[in-house]
């Protein structure tokens, strides 16, 4: 498993406040895995554009 990139307490709090739901232990892993993929794609996009700086436009839009 890759390094966890999310703050668990903040994620749990948001889920509780927005949906009055509990959070399973695997949620942080799933979110971190998806973030890793988004970051990797952002790096690819920046390099393809000849930059060493990842910008917001490099991160894929998930249609959210």
């Amino acid at each position: 498993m890759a390094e966890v990139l999310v703050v668990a307490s903040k994620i749990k709090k948001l889920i509780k406040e927005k949906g009055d739901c509990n959070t399973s232990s695997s949620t942080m892993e799933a979110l971190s895995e998806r973030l890793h993929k988004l970051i990797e794609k952002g790096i690819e996009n920046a390099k393809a554009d000849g930059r060493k700086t990842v910008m917001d436009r490099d991160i894929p839009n998930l249609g959210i």
Side-chain angles (χ1 to χ4, degrees):
M1 184 194 85
E3 177 183 10
V4 174
L5 298 177
V6 297
V7 179
S9 61
K10 292 186 183 240
I11 299 295
K12 288 179 180 183
K13 181 180 176 190
L14 180 62
I15 290 172
K16 186 57 123 175
E17 288 176 354
K18 294 286 183 176
D20 194 30
C21 296
N22 295 321
T23 307
S24 74
S25 59
S26 61
T27 300
M28 301 316 141
E29 287 181 32
L31 287 170
S32 289
E33 286 175 20
R34 285 168 178 80
L35 278 175
H36 274 279
K37 290 177 183 177
L38 287 171
I39 291 166
E40 288 170 5
K41 185 61 178 165
I43 293 167
E44 287 176 25
N45 290 341
K47 287 185 175 186
D49 203 26
R51 291 180 280 108
K52 287 190 156 200
T53 302
V54 175
M55 303 174 93
D56 57 340
R57 67 181 187 224
D58 298 315
I59 305 299
N61 183 342
L62 301 178
I64 298 172

